[in-house]
Amino acid sequence: MSDVFIAGAGITRFGKRDESLQDLMAEAARKALADAEIERPEAIVVATMNPEEFVGEGNFASQIATYIGCARVPALRVETATSSGAAAIYSGFTALASGIYRSVLVVGGEKMTHLPTPRVSELISRSIDPVERAYGATMPALAALVTRSFMAERGVTLGEISLVAVKNHAHGARIPYAHFQESVSLEQVMASRIIADPLRIFHCCPISDGSAALVLTSERTPVRIAGIGHGADYLAIRYRETLSSFRATQVAAQAAFRMAGFGPQRVELAELHDAFAPFELISLEDLGLVTPGMAGRALQSGELTLGGRLPVNLSGGLKARGHPLSATGIAQVVELTWQLRGMAEGRQVDARVGLAQSIGGLATNNWVTLVERV
Amino acid sequence: MVSQILAGYGEIWTFTTLHSPPQGFASPLHIALVTLPGGVNLICHGAETRQLKIGGRVAIEEVDGIYYFSYLGPADRARLFWRRAGARGSKVTSIMKSVVKRLLSERGIDEEPPTR
């Protein structure tokens, strides 16, 4: 297996955008290609969760290749619900590791803010088990079921869960491309509107437009993908053995650490999938970054904040950076790449190893990516 | 596929009240995952979640292919076991067990969600 390196990273501003999805993705792609000083990649992997419904367009890999002026470069599209961006990195990684290509552009994006919220919610809900959906379960509803179980089993309080949102908003205030760049107080989070008890709106990530891209190469650069892993679980949450952890994350982490040849103790910063604030705490435990039951305490102690032992979601996370579904898994690695290269202005930490975790659906299709400064 | 007769009661695994349910559902929408004796888990609708606790016992009913849970107070629980087939002595034992279990679970980690 050949080593795989990150040669270029690019991102658009996240939030409410007027441009078309194709234009947003072309913008991120051009930035990544310029950063890599590559005019034309050998192949393109495109991640979009549902452009057919969100923007009414199909054959999307070819559309994106055309928009970036690479109509004759082979392009394919991958989809694993909300983790599609991470799946695209995996697809590009395997193509390079196997020696099929020497450079691959990976670009993910979504555009949703032009649609009414109930419509967006309905489209995202299609990644839920059909029986559970028939009972009116939405993503926030399932996340609330998970949250209540996690709180009861781990003794985590809603105050601690709310601190995740406070921390990630504070981080997001330093990020020029973030959807939200304002801090929020614990009181604001705790007093915000209830969505699905016990989750309030400030525990949930926003609906965002945006795109992120990476250029992966087999040619050596300062940042290497040290390991990448994929884990899966039952679509139906009622079939799972536990709701206080996500097997799909645990399996993905094991695979990624096995490939990298090191363990969680070497991870110095992480980008986690906080689509709902409690997911950050669950993920910290699933990844072996904190001892089960200690995630709340690690957060309270400031360990996970800029300047702490293990800064988590310096990009603001899904909560503040925003969550244009298929852009997210790639945006996480873009931020890690800048950190490892020393280009994270205003939030730079001295780290060698970063971890990105992406959750697809209600944790049915999760990914862990380890990047290392070499 | 093998059809099975399921018990008419189960234990609350977790629950939520959804305040922005999808089209076609009234708000608020009460949803619970309930574990039946033997380990089968069902997703259910209910009329309210106010008195629910994780590990608490609820009655389960199926109407038109949809499962519903309802809260069982002490009197409901006694009635539930009294209706069970078996010798009078074993019915009383079941009721006693249910009462003891309830007392124990109330002292356990079952917590009232702090959002109310």
Side-chain angles (χ1 to χ4, degrees), chain A residues 9-15 17 19-32 107-110 175-179 209-213 321 324 327 331 334 338:
Chain A
I11 200 162
T12 69
R13 185 175 57 75
F14 283 13
R17 299 290 306 258
E19 298 90 331
S20 72
L21 177 57
Q22 293 93 322
D23 281 330
L24 288 172
M25 292 178 72
E27 179 193 330
R30 282 195 210 101
K31 284 178 176 169
V107 55
E110 220 80 49
I175 305 294
Y177 61 87
H179 188 158
D209 308 326
S211 174
R321 180 189 59 227
V334 167
W338 287 337

Side-chain angles (χ1 to χ4, degrees), chain B residues 2-115:
Chain B
V2 182
S3 292
Q4 292 191 342
I5 306 293
L6 299 174
Y9 61 94
E11 257 182 30
I12 290 287
W13 182 10
T14 180
F15 61 93
T16 187
T17 298
L18 180 58
H19 291 267
S20 46
Q23 217 181 358
F25 294 88
S27 180
L29 181 65
H30 305 285
I31 298 174
L33 295 184
V34 178
T35 305
L36 269 49
V40 174
N41 300 315
L42 297 179
I43 182 165
C44 307
H45 280 164
E48 60 165 344
T49 54
R50 197 163 308 160
Q51 288 173 295
L52 290 192
K53 287 183 173 183
I54 288 179
R57 201 166 269 216
V58 288
I60 297 292
E61 206 172 334
E62 186 244 279
V63 179
D64 293 337
I66 299 286
Y67 290 98
Y68 296 88
F69 67 84
S70 49
Y71 170 73
L72 287 175
D76 306 312
R77 293 152 72 97
R79 271 199 297 278
L80 173 72
F81 291 108
W82 194 252
R83 284 206 303 266
R84 256 170 50 166
R88 181 165 290 221
S90 80
K91 291 183 184 182
V92 174
T93 310
S94 294
I95 293 169
M96 285 310 293
K97 276 187 188 161
S98 162
V99 169
V100 168
K101 190 166 181 192
R102 185 185 174 79
L103 290 175
L104 286 177
S105 76
E106 274 170 4
R107 269 187 249 139
I109 57 161
D110 283 354
E111 53 142 17
E112 201 61 45
T115 54

Side-chain angles (χ1 to χ4, degrees), chain A residues 59 65 107 117 136 153 169 186 199 203 212 242 295 336 361 369:
Chain A
N59 195 7
V107 55
T117 300
E153 286 189 25
H169 269 277
L186 183 61
L199 292 176
H203 296 126
T242 177
L336 292 177
T369 307

